[in-house]
Every structure is written in C-alpha cells, then in structure tokens.
Amino acid sequence: MTSTLIGRQAVVVGAGMAGLPAARVLADYFEHVLVLERDTLPVDASHRTGTPQARHTHGLLNGGQRALSDLFPDFEQDLAAAGAVAVKVGLELRLEVPGFDPFPQRDLGVTAYAMSRPLIEFIVRQRVRQLANITIREHCRAQDLVMSSAAATVSAIRFENGNGRSETLPADLVIEASGRGNLTLGFLESTGQPPPEETVIGVDIGYATAVLTIPGEARPIMTFDTPARGGLAGIMLPLERNRWIVTLVGRHDHKPPGDWDGFLAYAQQLRTPTIYQTIRGADTLGEIARFGFPASLCRHFDRIEEFPRGLLPIGDAICRFNPVHGQGMSVSAQEACLLRELLQSRAEEGDPLDGLAKTFFAKAAKLIETPWALAAVPDLAHPRTKGQRPDDLQQRLEFGEGLNRLAAKDAAVHGLFVEVLHLLKPQSVLREPDIVERVKALPAQV
Ligand SMILES: Cc1cc2nc3c(=O)[nH]c(=O)nc-3n(C[C@H](O)[C@H](O)[C@H](O)COP(=O)(O)OP(=O)(O)OC[C@H]3O[C@@H](n4cnc5c(N)ncnc54)[C@H](O)[C@@H]3O)c2cc1C
C-alpha cells in the first residue's frame, strides 16, 4: 500500500486491543507513532494488571479476525502457530439455546480461532513492535491533553513516566484507546463542551472463569437460557497448550462464585448438564477469576457538533458491549480498519485531519449498530435490566426467536445468521422481505 505522510507524531494511549491496531494504521501516515501504556508489558502471552478482563473467555469473532488479518497479513497463521485452536463455527461448537440442545450442527465454512486474550494481544503486540516507526513506552500513564492556541485543538499530551516525572510531548493526533475515555471527557469539559449523550443498559452481570485441563473428550460448548429464567450462561472453549477456559455468567443477586465447589454447583444450575458433566472431573489451573460488568455503555460522539481536532477516542472508550457476545475486540479492530480507510482517502487533501473525527464517528456509529442491537435486545428482555426499552421490544424478541427456528431448519439462513453474529454482515440482511415472510409463516411453536 502506498501512503502519504500527514503528520510528524501521533500518540496512542493504551496498548490494548484498540490501541495496537490503531497504532499499526497510524504508522503509514505519521513519521512517528508513540504508544503510551501504563502497564509493564509481558514478554510473552501472560496476564498484566491493566486488562483484568483478559482472565476471562475472549472469543475473537470472524469480523475481528478478518480485520486483524487485513492489518497484519498472515495473522491467522500467527495464531495457529502460537497454538490457537481452529474451531469450525456451526459444526464443532455445540450451541445450546432454548428449544435446541444442540442447535443443528453444520459446516458453514466459517472457522474461528480459540485462544486466550493474552495470546491474541501478544501476537498483535509483536507485529506492532516490528514496525520501525512505532515506539511503545511502558509505565507511562497519560494524564491530560494539552490545548493549542487554536480553540479546541489537541496539540500535545502530558503523561507521567516510569520515574514518576511529568513529560509533555507534541502530537498531531492523539488516539485515546484507554478503555475508559477519561482523557477525552476531561478535554471536552476543559473546553466547555458538553459530554456526549450516552445510552446505558444496566445489565449487572457477574463472570466467573476457570482454566482447566480436562482428561478425556471435550468440545467447545455455549449454553444459554432465557432471560425469564434468569439468563444463566456457560461458555467453554479450548485454549492454547491443551487447556480449556470455562466462564459462567449470571446476573443481579445470582452471580457465579469464586471457589471450585461453588463453581461446579453453579454449573449444575445451567439449563443443560453438558458443561457440568464435562468439567466435574477436570483439574483447575490457578484461581477462579471473577469480574463484575455493571452496564453496557455507548457514547454518541457522532452527535457532538464540533469535536476537538487532533483527538479521537476508539474501542471501549466509545462503546463497551455486554461481553457475553464477544464483540469488543472485533469492533475495535474494525474501527482501526475504518480509520485506515479514512486516512487513505484524506491523505491527499490539504488538511486530512480537519473533520476526521466527525466522519469517523458517523461511520463508527454504523459499525456499532449491529453488535449493539444483538446484545441490547436480549438484555432488555430481562426484567431487571435497566434501560430504555424500545416500543417494539416484544416484536423484536419474537422475530429473533422465529429467526432461530428458521435458521435451525435452513442451512442458508443459519449461515447468514452466523455471518451477522460474527460481524461480517449487518443485521439488516436478516430483515430482507423474504426472510421476514418466512419467519412469519412459521408455526407458533417448534
Ligand atoms: C469480562 C469481559 C469479557 C470480555 N470478553 C470478550 C470477548 O469474548 N470477545 C471480545 O471481542 N471482547 C471481549 N471483551 C471486551 C474486550 O476486552 C474489549 O472490548 C477490548 O479489550 C477493547 O479494547 P480497548 O483497547 O478499548 O481496551 P483495553 O484492551 O482494556 O485496553 C486499554 C489499555 O489502556 C491502558 N491504559 C488505560 N489508561 C491509561 C492511561 N491513562 N495511560 C496509559 N495507558 C492506559 C490499559 O492499561 C490497557 O492496556 C470482554 C470484556 C470483559 C469485561
């Protein structure tokens, strides 16, 4: 790919799953890219403190896998070489949803890789480190953004370095991939701008995750229950080095515990016994990790009239999805591809950074639409979920149920459904008139 330089220095805050792909994109357009990370970064695929969620199941959807392969050629080969386990989605993963235990298993031609989150991040980090004009500085905590004399323009970033000293560095563009978005919100406040509108869905989810070795046969399983019955879920996937990761998910006052006996007892309460029966004789490797996820949150930066120049939040700093659907890393990678597309088309313009954020947010909002809806609709069905329910929620839920039944009968619809779930196609493809008609024509019950 040929590219044109558009600036001297870009700074990325956070070396996580949004920051690293974004840094790779910026490397083609800025003389130098600096990634500031508060953590010590491991020299291998081990855990670090800044990403506690990484101890839990992290599925990489096909949409994310494809985006990362676009940014890092041969990415899938890297995953396989590092021990990630190829899983034929639809065929090898046993999906259990009410009415289908299991959902019909078919080869849909979609292969996903299962591995730990630290392994995915490690592979991406290694690829980023190979680029000569990117520097990753560890132990550097970004503190705030510096405004230039031109109103509402970011011109530099202030951070505390590993020696506890404050440093200020100039930046033509700062990408905030800190997961939280506090720098962006702080800057908006300091310039007298209102914060972005937010959509919040209070799900109050609890995760408990064990890493196991399982003697004998095991296979990937996902078990879901209806919101009316509490919505307990269990996810069991293979990991590199012959291990398995099992995550149990509950809500409100029924969250999974952090001790092995309690974990097994909770697994027995899942709607089907498959996960319990597979793991009861397993050996645990390390402690059971727990995580509380209070709410999904989407910040509507696209609705801000004048967004500061030289600043762009990305990844979780824009939208944090209910993790059960495994979307966050994939959307982050797709946003990095979107950024590349915009920089590519603007590089020849007089001022490529002028209005970049506005265009980015408008297109990112489109990207986010499908994953947000896929998670929000079932979440809002749970009676204790807090959030604005659409007037047609019941219709949407019934349509989703009907779609499940149609997909079970028809391999082509099943394939389309999986492509949507994996963020390869927008949800609108499932609203085409012929599909809607066929869903309507189904008998009321299986
Ligand atoms: C329990 C759980 C399970 C999940 N499961 C999945 C899944 O199955 N599939 C999936 O795709 N997604 C999953 N996600 C979502 C996924 O973890 C995030 O969407 C993804 O990591 C977003 O990347 P990010 O770079 O925005 O944030 P992160 O990856 O969290 O990275 C943020 C980085 O910024 C650094 N940082 C923060 N503040 C500063 C600062 N001031 N200065 C310097 N550095 C800073 C942090 O140390 C960290 O390295 C899950 C999330 C949770 C909570």
Side-chain angles (χ1 to χ4, degrees):
M1 193 193 71
T2 55
S3 64
T4 311
L5 283 184
I6 60 176
R8 295 197 59 184
Q9 175 149 276
V11 175
V12 177
V13 178
M17 287 310 295
L20 292 170
R24 193 272 157 268
V25 168
L26 297 176
D28 287 336
Y29 296 95
F30 291 82
E31 277 174 37
H32 185 235
V33 180
L34 176 66
V35 182
L36 299 175
E37 170 55 52
R38 63 184 175 183
D39 263 2
T40 304
L41 294 171
V43 292
D44 53 21
S46 35
H47 289 287
R48 59 189 179 91
T49 49
T51 50
Q53 76 270 31
R55 294 191 178 274
H56 300 272
T57 302
H58 262 67
L60 181 62
L61 301 177
N62 249 248
Q65 196 172 297
R66 193 174 283 181
L68 288 167
S69 299
D70 274 0
L71 297 171
F72 305 103
D74 301 325
F75 178 70
E76 288 171 29
Q77 282 93 317
D78 286 1
L79 290 179
V85 182
V87 176
K88 284 185 184 157
V89 178
L91 183 67
E92 291 170 339
L93 186 143
R94 182 182 166 94
L95 175 65
E96 301 174 340
V97 292
F100 300 98
D101 294 319
F103 203 79
Q105 287 170 276
R106 305 179 172 115
D107 190 353
L108 302 168
V110 178
T111 299
Y113 284 89
M115 66 250 125
S116 66
R117 153 75 188 248
L119 183 64
I120 307 171
E121 197 178 287
F122 176 62
I123 290 171
V124 174
R125 193 162 67 234
Q126 274 185 313
R127 295 295 296 266
V128 166
R129 284 200 197 277
Q130 285 166 7
L131 296 167
N133 64 336
I134 300 182
T135 309
I136 304 180
R137 279 187 66 180
E138 301 170 43
H139 314 126
C140 288
R141 183 182 293 271
Q143 290 171 313
D144 52 19
L145 302 166
V146 181
M147 195 175 1
S148 80
S149 48
T153 295
V154 170
S155 61
I157 184 161
R158 217 176 345 251
F159 60 96
E160 188 185 86
N161 67 22
N163 301 321
R165 293 203 197 92
S166 183
E167 280 187 49
T168 304
L169 285 179
D172 298 301
L173 178 63
V174 174
I175 301 268
E176 184 179 10
S178 69
R180 293 275 148 192
N182 293 340
L183 291 173
T184 301
L185 298 183
F187 189 77
L188 287 175
E189 193 182 351
S190 71
T191 57
Q193 290 229 49
E197 289 171 31
E198 293 179 346
T199 303
V200 181
I201 301 184
V203 287
D204 188 18
I205 281 175
Y207 260 52
T209 296
V211 175
L212 309 168
T213 51
I214 299 180
E217 280 285 295
R219 65 191 148 182
I221 306 170
M222 288 190 187
T223 302
F224 294 98
D225 204 349
T226 56
R229 279 180 34 120
L232 300 199
I235 301 166
M236 175 169 150
L237 292 175
L239 293 182
E240 66 275 9
R241 295 190 277 121
N242 293 320
R243 298 168 303 155
W244 289 84
I245 189 164
V246 179
T247 289
L248 302 178
V249 189
R251 294 179 192 234
H252 308 293
D253 40 21
H254 194 39
K255 294 185 180 128
D259 64 288
W260 181 237
D261 288 342
F263 191 89
L264 277 181
Y266 197 94
Q268 270 185 300
Q269 296 168 39
L270 293 172
R271 199 176 47 77
T272 73
T274 26
I275 289 188
Y276 170 72
Q277 283 170 353
T278 314
I279 67 171
R280 64 184 165 184
D283 296 315
T284 51
L285 299 167
E287 305 273 298
I288 291 174
R290 298 181 80 212
F291 197 98
F293 184 86
S296 308
L297 165 73
C298 188
R299 297 196 173 108
H300 302 287
F301 288 109
D302 52 311
R303 298 182 193 162
I304 292 184
E305 202 54 46
E306 289 293 330
F307 194 81
R309 181 195 158 95
L311 173 63
L312 197 66
I314 196 167
D316 279 15
I318 302 182
C319 189
R320 227 173 307 143
F321 302 92
N322 173 348
V324 177
H325 304 271
Q327 299 162 327
M329 296 188 298
S330 291
V331 173
S332 297
Q334 290 180 329
E335 286 173 0
C337 289
L338 167 62
L339 178 64
R340 181 177 61 176
E341 184 190 310
L342 294 182
L343 292 179
Q344 226 163 17
S345 68
R346 293 167 146 255
E348 303 291 344
E349 291 174 11
D351 186 358
L353 295 180
D354 184 35
L356 172 71
K358 202 162 175 55
T359 316
F360 177 86
F361 292 139
K363 288 183 180 267
K366 279 268 160 234
L367 257 183
I368 287 167
E369 222 170 71
T370 288
W372 181 265
L374 288 172
V377 172
D379 278 342
L380 289 168
H382 196 287
R384 290 179 64 186
T385 296
K386 291 188 184 140
Q388 181 74 37
R389 287 168 171 76
D391 294 340
D392 62 349
L393 179 63
Q394 195 50 35
Q395 274 158 280
R396 291 193 202 197
L397 289 166
E398 281 166 17
F399 182 75
E401 229 171 78
L403 207 52
N404 250 346
R405 285 192 281 137
L406 184 61
K409 283 166 56 147
D410 183 321
V413 177
H414 187 184
L416 203 57
F417 202 4
V418 165
E419 285 181 301
V420 172
L421 291 175
H422 276 258
L423 309 184
L424 294 165
K425 290 198 169 144
Q427 203 185 16
S428 54
V429 299
L430 296 170
R431 299 282 187 281
E432 290 295 327
D434 62 319
I435 293 187
V436 173
E437 281 312 309
R438 290 178 65 197
V439 169
K440 278 189 191 156
L442 287 171
Q445 279 304 323
V446 198

